[in-house]
Amino acid sequence: LLFSSHYGRIINSKKPKMFIQGTKDGFTSPSQLKSAMKKMPTPKEAHLIEGVGHFTLEGPDYDGMMANLTADFVKRHFAAPTAPDA
């Protein structure tokens, strides 16, 4: 579903993109994700969580992991520039 035709703007965007998906996701398969990512400009990254389905990944057992992956991604791609030393 994620990579149907109405998501062309996401696929073609030059902005940093991160995808987190369980390998047992029933909506979009890891192979669909990998295929779509080949078409995307960088920066892009994917995190495949082995043996986890779509709704399980959205559950509280994965909140910490999702938060850490997201925070790390934001720090690397959207961090505010630091002021030069005075």
Side-chain angles (χ1 to χ4, degrees), residues 51-63:
V52 178
H54 184 87
F55 294 107
T56 305
L57 191 58
E58 292 180 355
D61 291 343
Y62 292 90
D63 285 352

Side-chain angles (χ1 to χ4, degrees), residues 29 68 82 85:
S29 70
N68 289 336
T82 57
D85 292 336

Side-chain angles (χ1 to χ4, degrees), residues 29-74:
S29 70
S31 62
Q32 288 174 303
L33 175 61
K34 290 175 185 176
S35 177
M37 287 189 71
K38 289 179 184 177
K39 302 172 191 172
M40 294 178 195
T42 56
K44 59 190 174 185
E45 63 187 67
H47 300 273
L48 295 175
I49 312 306
E50 190 64 40
V52 178
H54 184 87
F55 294 107
T56 305
L57 191 58
E58 292 180 355
D61 291 343
Y62 292 90
D63 285 352
M65 182 195 67
M66 298 288 277
N68 289 336
L69 287 171
T70 303
D72 180 61
F73 180 80
V74 169

